[in-house]
Amino acid sequence: MLWIKVIIVIMLALILLSLVASMFTLMRDRDNSNRTAKFLTFRIVMSILLFILIGVSFYMGWIQPHGLIPPQG
């Protein structure tokens, strides 16, 4: 199913965006701001949700695993 793959790509992009945002807040914020911790917490939550989504999608048959090299025969 295409829609589940789109959701997975969007979640991966959000995880990467959160990681980049936390890096910038870590380098730019000189006060005792907890924005970096919030961004990293968001990244961890999104990663856990993505892991659960991939597991449920595999169980429900929405996505199928495949190898990099298809079997010959």
Side-chain angles (χ1 to χ4, degrees):
M1 295 194 154
L2 182 64
W3 60 272
I4 197 71
K5 294 177 185 178
V6 171
I7 291 173
I8 290 172
V9 169
I10 290 171
M11 288 182 74
L12 284 172
L14 286 174
I15 291 168
L16 184 63
L17 182 68
S18 175
L19 186 63
V20 170
S22 66
M23 181 188 68
F24 280 120
T25 58
L26 180 65
M27 295 177 73
R28 300 282 182 197
D29 289 351
R30 297 294 180 205
D31 55 350
N32 276 339
S33 176
N34 60 355
R35 288 177 24 181
T36 302
K38 287 181 182 180
F39 281 126
L40 291 175
T41 302
F42 177 75
R43 184 182 66 90
I44 291 170
V45 169
M46 290 299 290
S47 298
I48 291 170
L49 289 176
L50 180 61
F51 184 75
I52 292 170
L53 177 68
I54 290 172
V56 168
S57 299
F58 176 69
Y59 180 75
M60 297 295 286
W62 297 335
I63 58 174
Q64 297 294 323
H66 59 83
L68 294 176
I69 302 172
Q72 301 293 324

